[in-house]
Amino acid sequence: MSQPTPTKLTPALAALLVLAGCVAVLPWPALADHAVPTLVLAIPLALLPRGRPLAWLLLGIALGGHAVGEVRNGWLAPALEGETLVLELRVDGLPEPRAHGVSFIAQVVRPPEGYEAGFPRRLRLGWYRHPPVLQPGEVWRVSARLKRPHGMLNSAGFDYEAWLFRQGIQATGTVREGERIAAAPAWSLDGLRMAMRDRLAGLLVDEPALGLILGLTIGDRSLMTESQWDDLIATGTNHLLAISGMQVTMIAGLVWALVRWLWARVPALALRFPAPLGGALAGGLAALGYSLLAGFSVPTQRTLLMLLAVVLAMLALRAIRVRDVLGLALLFVLAWDPLSVLDVGFWLSFGAVGLLVHAGSGRLVRPGWLRDATHAQLAVSIGLLPLTLLLFSRGSLVAPLANAVAIPLVTLLVTPLALAGSVLALLYAPLGDGLLWVVARLLDGLMWVLHGMAGWPMAQWFPPDPGGWPFLIAIPAIAWLLAPRGVPASCGWTCWTSARARRCWCAARITSCCTTPVPSVSAASMPGRRWCCRCSGAWAWTGWMPWC
């Protein structure tokens, strides 16, 4: 009797198994102490056809455990909290100006004498007493007072402690005094970003759109005001006014189209190398440069890896499925940085693209562009609703309309003009300054419209917190709701009349599931938590993590 053929393990399924392994380490930090044995166990299982799914899961546990252990093992010793220490450090990334000083992330170059073993390697410091102008890459000898990472516990607010863990911060503190002992390198990527920020800040003085332009060009959102963030979140457009996959794809597409058009008009080039492939290479390089300029955030990593996979498939003359491209991108992101699962942008970016792939699959005939765009916007708005409720404790009911206005404006006009103006401002100031002035006026008009939408009655939805389990039910329910036509009892995006009752029934079930109130628990009844207990807003997916 022949043996049944094992199910083929696709890149998308392998990526989901690795993701599950990385996430599993968060509620059970003891797994981080067994990362190496887990990896050793995964190697022989990978040689067995039926053991490969478990091998991918163990690989994710090993990756996540190693990343979590690297951060936890470098935490500041409790005996050093509050002590004034002298150490040498290098400024890492862009310093963030504050009302009464500056905050920055630093890499320790030389720990204090006598504390070399186990001293934190990555710090977040504030300099409030006569702060100097810091440049990325500078080395300073400072006298600082440090403490272990701590944050307020507020389920509906920003989890500062989780953010510190995500950034690999092993101690925070304040600088009392310092001395520069090495200047910044002559050229660096962060130095270029700093020069662009200083040039834009000097040009757009007192402009409300300065923070938005910085977010679109170099991924620096430190100068965005709280009211701007409130309006963007209230209208569901916060993904646009920061570097996202949409902007990277748009830049790559524009460069591809331009280079392809020019390439085809040079016979010597077109006869040696096809114009579409030349345009694809140029678009991939443009996406890489823009991603590096933007700080290489998780959404840009995902988009860049997907674009590079498409370029490689074109060069190899191979067809590749979109879901496999998305799976490969997820695998590379998790291998590069397993702690990216703590990023809100990680879940929103991969979730949005996964919803578009899911809702757009199973089509025999492509609909018109207007209907296609409407379906895509509704799929993302409905599909990401549980996730936005989980991460932000509120949902935007005007998001489809607001995005219909903001997406074309930001994608087709604001972002290209902002990038062109930022570069030209360093090369030919008059032209660059004029383009940036136009961008500022466009963003002022957009924020005026979004502020008005945010003030509409019922613009936002603040349901009670139901805990984690209803979201686990809502996720497969929404996947069923958005399934293509032909899936039993699904709604099917092309079936607007016959499936209307079933669609409304599904939506009602999901809504009631996600908004069922639960008994409140007083803060006094919660035992003290450690870092591993709630180091990710994403862990509200499960709701059953143990309190340490």
Side-chain angles (χ1 to χ4, degrees):
M1 181 180 296
S2 61
Q3 295 293 330
T5 304
T7 304
K8 183 180 180 181
L9 193 62
T10 63
L13 181 57
L16 291 177
L17 291 172
V18 175
L19 174 62
C22 290
V23 173
V25 181
L26 300 179
W28 295 298
L31 294 175
D33 300 329
H34 307 285
V36 175
T38 303
L39 181 61
V40 173
L41 180 60
I43 295 175
L45 288 174
L47 303 177
L48 303 175
R50 295 186 180 278
R52 287 169 187 166
L54 182 58
W56 283 106
L57 179 64
L58 293 178
L59 176 61
I61 294 175
L63 289 173
H66 176 73
V68 170
E70 283 290 311
V71 179
R72 295 177 67 215
N73 295 335
W75 278 338
L76 182 71
L80 296 180
E81 285 193 295
E83 298 289 334
T84 301
L85 304 172
V86 178
L87 63 154
E88 295 180 7
L89 49 84
R90 179 183 294 107
V91 180
D92 188 14
L94 302 184
E96 301 177 8
R98 302 298 183 190
H100 303 289
V102 62
S103 62
F104 61 99
I105 294 176
Q107 207 70 29
V108 175
V109 176
R110 179 177 296 176
E113 294 185 5
Y115 301 103
E116 289 81 2
F119 194 80
R121 299 177 304 276
R122 191 168 172 84
L123 313 175
R124 180 172 175 83
L125 301 173
W127 200 324
Y128 304 107
R129 185 182 300 175
H130 307 294
V133 178
L134 298 176
Q135 296 293 331
E138 289 181 336
V139 179
W140 286 76
R141 182 183 292 113
V142 300
S143 173
R145 184 171 293 177
L146 304 179
K147 63 179 181 179
R148 291 164 69 92
H150 296 290
M152 301 295 291
L153 177 60
N154 184 359
S155 60
F158 176 66
D159 195 339
Y160 179 64
E161 193 172 333
W163 182 85
L164 291 175
F165 191 86
R166 163 67 185 97
Q167 301 298 323
I169 305 299
Q170 297 166 320
T172 61
T174 56
V175 177
R176 307 180 69 85
E177 57 183 1
E179 174 190 3
R180 183 188 289 111
I181 60 176
W187 188 93
S188 67
L189 188 60
D190 284 333
L192 176 61
R193 298 176 67 210
M194 187 73 177
M196 292 182 64
R197 188 176 78 173
D198 293 342
R199 181 70 179 86
L200 293 176
L203 175 64
L204 302 174
V205 180
D206 298 329
E207 284 281 1
L210 172 60
L212 302 175
I213 295 176
L214 291 176
L216 284 171
T217 52
I218 61 174
D220 180 16
R221 299 181 292 274
S222 60
L223 296 183
M224 291 179 61
T225 64
E226 186 175 351
S227 61
Q228 288 174 337
W229 274 117
D230 289 340
D231 291 339
L232 293 174
I233 295 176
T235 55
T237 55
N238 53 315
H239 64 98
L240 284 176
L241 274 304
I243 300 297
S244 66
M246 183 177 298
Q247 279 87 349
V248 177
T249 305
M250 183 271 303
I251 294 298
L254 289 177
V255 173
W256 173 82
L258 178 61
V259 172
R260 182 181 182 274
W261 183 81
L262 294 174
W263 197 291
R265 278 148 183 80
V266 181
L269 293 176
L271 293 175
R272 290 178 177 270
F273 200 69
L277 297 184
L281 284 175
L285 292 176
L288 175 61
Y290 185 35
S291 299
L292 293 175
L293 185 64
F296 212 52
S297 61
V298 172
T300 59
Q301 292 176 31
R302 188 264 309 161
T303 307
L304 176 63
L305 291 170
M306 291 185 68
L307 290 174
L308 292 180
V310 172
V311 171
L312 292 176
M314 292 179 64
L315 293 176
L317 301 179
R318 293 288 188 270
I320 185 170
R321 295 185 300 179
V322 178
R323 66 183 63 185
D324 290 339
V325 174
L326 182 62
L328 290 173
L330 179 56
L331 279 175
F332 282 115
V333 168
L334 293 175
W336 177 268
D337 185 7
L339 291 182
S340 60
V341 297
L342 301 178
D343 270 336
V344 173
F346 173 89
W347 299 98
L348 294 179
S349 178
F350 280 101
V353 177
L355 285 168
L356 292 174
V357 174
H358 177 64
S361 61
R363 294 181 178 180
L364 298 178
V365 179
R366 186 175 182 86
W369 67 270
L370 181 59
R371 188 173 183 179
D372 197 16
T374 303
H375 289 168
Q377 181 59 48
L378 290 176
V380 173
S381 298
I382 296 175
L384 291 182
L385 184 59
L387 189 58
T388 54
L389 292 176
L390 176 64
L391 298 176
F392 304 110
S393 299
R394 56 179 169 177
S396 174
L397 301 182
V398 298
L401 179 59
N403 279 279
V405 175
I407 287 178
L409 180 63
V410 173
T411 304
L412 301 178
L413 282 179
V414 172
T415 303
L417 292 178
L419 285 173
S422 301
V423 174
L424 290 174
L426 300 175
L427 302 177
Y428 184 66
L431 181 57
D433 296 351
L435 290 178
L436 291 173
W437 183 88
V438 173
V439 171
R441 303 289 74 78
L442 290 174
L443 287 175
D444 288 342
L446 176 62
M447 294 306 300
W448 180 78
V449 173
L450 296 181
H451 182 73
M453 289 185 177
W456 288 355
M458 298 298 293
Q460 297 185 78
W461 180 31
F462 295 89
D465 183 11
W469 285 109
F471 289 99
L472 290 179
I473 303 173
I475 293 170
I478 283 186
W480 180 38
L481 179 70
L482 301 179
R485 189 176 183 180
V487 176
S490 68
C491 297
W493 283 110
T494 57
C495 189
W496 288 93
T497 55
S498 62
R500 185 186 298 266
R502 285 172 292 180
R503 179 167 62 249
C504 294
W505 180 84
C506 291
R509 290 288 84 200
I510 295 169
T511 303
S512 63
C513 171
C514 291
T515 57
T516 303
V518 294
S520 60
V521 180
S522 64
S525 65
M526 290 187 178
R529 66 164 184 164
R530 285 173 54 200
W531 236 115
C532 55
C533 303
R534 189 179 174 273
C535 50
S536 171
W539 261 110
W541 286 98
T542 55
W544 43 260
M545 79 288 280
W547 292 90
C548 300

